Amino acid sequence: MLSVGRILEGAFGLVRERYVAVAVWIGLYLAVNIAFMLTIMPMMGATMNPAAATDPGAMLGAMLPMFALIPVFFVVAVVLYAAAMRAVLRPDAGGIAYLRLGMDELRLIGLSIIFAIAGTILMFVISLALGLVGVGIAASGEPGVGSVLFSFLFMIGIFAVMIFFVVRFSLAFPLTLYRGKIVIGEAWTLSSGRFWSLFGAALGITLIMMILNIAVSMFTMGSYFYDLMSAAGDPEAVALAAEAQAQSYAQFSPVMILSSLGTAIVAGLGVALTGGSVATAAKLLLADEDEDAEDVFG
């Protein structure tokens, strides 16, 4: 039976039992992150150039290569996420840390694009609806506190709906990996009646990742935060602190290395926990659907 405890047990069990694979994932992310930082250092230097700051065209030209690197990070993230799910669904798959770059990953990329398009359309519809509500409130001539409260509650409702769909379709990724084809409808069907278990596990992992990210930020940016607090009320001191922090990331410095290492560790653990949790949930639910778990998962 599916429960928050069993999902989290599977996710943390992946970290405990496949710690070598998790270390490889961390190392891969670290290598890509450092390569990314070394690549964008000249670009960051160009954007900090006072001449570029006053020329929007020059600023955009300096930043475009950064945006071009985003697909590389996306592909690496998909490869790592697939490896984490494969470690749960196909523990005997073997290979180096369950890493692949083949049709499974291509299908997951396609699934991500489908969800991105659907999310964009949904956000457009929601924005349009919110705009119409705003026009209606303005036309009524009574904006007042009630309309502000209504808008706030409307936004909370939109957020809740988005979370609902994300959770209900979260099993699409492990099912796509398992079935060998893009799966969407089955994810919705399989998660029916299991929303709160899936949501509870996702919330728990999200809180853990938030705490880890805050810890890394405090460790690598503590001096910057201290400088900001010390410079409270002094715009010039705030600007100098921000410039010093930017320069520390624009060169191969201890701050950049520590930041990259901390980010990689958190990212690797995040991949293991998020990928492991949804794969564990899919594995448990498929077993509950009276499929032979031994035949399915080996």
Side-chain angles (χ1 to χ4, degrees), residues 15 18 21 74 91 125 132 134-135 147-148 163 166 173 208 218 250 257 283 286 292:
V15 177
R18 310 291 176 183
F74 173 64
V125 173
L132 292 175
V135 170
S147 62
V148 174
I163 292 295
V166 168
F173 292 93
I208 291 171
M218 291 303 297
I257 295 173
K283 184 174 182 177
L286 287 173
D292 189 336

Side-chain angles (χ1 to χ4, degrees), residues 18-28 79-87 90-101 105:
R18 310 291 176 183
Y19 58 89
V20 174
V22 175
V24 172
W25 302 339
I26 291 173
L28 177 59
V79 168
L80 293 174
Y81 194 61
M85 293 188 295
R86 188 177 290 113
R90 301 286 186 214
D92 298 326
I96 302 176
Y98 301 96
L99 294 167
R100 305 280 193 282
L101 184 56
E105 287 70 25

Side-chain angles (χ1 to χ4, degrees), residues 93-186:
I96 302 176
Y98 301 96
L99 294 167
R100 305 280 193 282
L101 184 56
M103 290 305 299
D104 285 338
E105 287 70 25
L106 185 60
R107 281 187 285 267
L108 291 174
I109 289 173
L111 181 62
S112 300
I113 293 173
I114 290 173
F115 280 137
I117 294 173
T120 301
I121 295 174
L122 179 62
M123 286 303 299
F124 174 77
V125 173
I126 290 173
S127 299
L128 181 61
L130 186 61
L132 292 175
V133 170
V135 170
I137 292 174
S140 68
E142 300 179 359
V145 176
S147 62
V148 174
L149 179 61
F150 175 80
S151 299
F152 175 75
L153 294 176
F154 186 74
M155 293 300 295
I156 293 295
I158 290 172
F159 181 73
V161 169
M162 291 179 63
I163 292 295
F164 175 77
F165 281 115
V166 168
V167 171
R168 287 295 304 273
F169 284 114
S170 62
L171 298 180
F173 292 93
L175 289 174
T176 293
L177 182 67
Y178 165 62
R179 297 295 187 194
K181 62 180 181 180
I182 292 180
V183 174
I184 297 178
E186 186 182 1

